Amino acid sequence: MLTDVLIVLGSPNNSEGVLSDTAISRLNCCVKHYEKDMLVLCTGGWGAHFNITEQAHAFCAKQYLITQGIPESAFLDFALSQHTVDDAVKTLAIISKLKNIRLTVITSDYHLKRVKLIFETILASYSMKFIGAKSNLDKKAYDFLIAHEEKAIRSITKNGLYY
């Protein structure tokens, strides 16, 4: 029997630990797809670009998911990552102890292509699917993030993935 693991990639929270709209959209996507007996892995540690609080972003994410009805017993250890490649590397360290699992990686729609490229490289031996939670960004912010993602993908394609 396969156990499904939902992996929610981190995104910003403010200096008081209040989750950003991007974080909330990813977490709500996790809630929507969660079913009894699934496991949940939250990513995100600290970094000037997304979390400067004393608590890891993953802790804030877990607390939100618990308020939405996901039981404490569903959570795996946190992947205390600082960026997307780190998400995959630290996720691998956690899930490598589990048997018969299937992964669902949840990120934002604009981030999906790069996440697939990274996770399919680092976690190549796992069965995975990917979900891009709809972002509610204005067109200018969305276009900026798409351009950033395309540049990052070109860099990975040209230089390889280092981890």
Side-chain angles (χ1 to χ4, degrees):
M1 186 172 118
L2 281 175
T3 300
D4 285 296
V5 179
L6 300 174
I7 302 165
V8 187
L9 300 192
S11 52
N13 52 261
N14 72 16
S15 60
E16 285 83 46
V18 176
L19 297 164
S20 66
D21 288 345
T22 299
I24 296 290
S25 71
R26 293 177 185 186
L27 294 167
N28 285 342
C29 186
C30 178
V31 170
K32 179 181 170 189
H33 288 87
Y34 178 80
E35 295 177 10
K36 187 176 185 281
D37 297 325
M38 285 183 167
L39 297 173
V40 177
L41 191 157
C42 297
T43 75
W46 299 268
H49 62 291
F50 74 98
N51 180 25
I52 58 169
T53 67
E54 289 186 19
Q55 294 290 343
H57 173 78
F59 174 84
C60 300
K62 176 183 175 181
Q63 294 311 115
Y64 178 84
L65 292 171
I66 288 171
T67 69
Q68 301 302 304
I70 296 181
E72 173 89 33
S73 60
F75 291 89
L76 295 169
D77 291 340
F78 297 144
L80 298 176
S81 50
Q82 295 183 17
H83 50 76
T84 309
V85 173
D86 206 21
D87 286 335
V89 169
K90 289 186 171 148
T91 292
L92 178 59
I94 294 165
I95 66 169
S96 64
K97 301 169 190 145
L98 305 174
K99 303 283 187 234
N100 299 320
I101 60 172
R102 179 176 44 209
L103 310 176
T104 299
V105 182
I106 300 170
T107 188
S108 298
D109 49 7
Y110 62 82
H111 195 222
L112 194 58
K113 281 185 189 176
R114 182 159 57 113
V115 168
K116 286 179 79 168
L117 176 62
I118 292 167
F119 274 73
E120 287 176 344
T121 300
I122 296 173
L123 287 85
S125 64
Y126 290 88
S127 171
M128 285 180 279
K129 68 179 182 177
F130 298 87
I131 300 173
K134 182 174 176 4
S135 54
N136 296 316
L137 302 167
D138 64 44
K139 180 170 174 24
K140 185 176 178 181
Y142 185 82
D143 290 347
F144 174 83
L145 289 170
I146 289 292
H148 168 78
E149 292 299 317
E150 289 172 353
K151 181 179 176 186
I153 290 168
R154 282 193 304 274
S155 177
I156 292 168
T157 303
K158 179 180 177 186
N159 302 314
L161 192 58
Y162 298 97
Y163 55 96

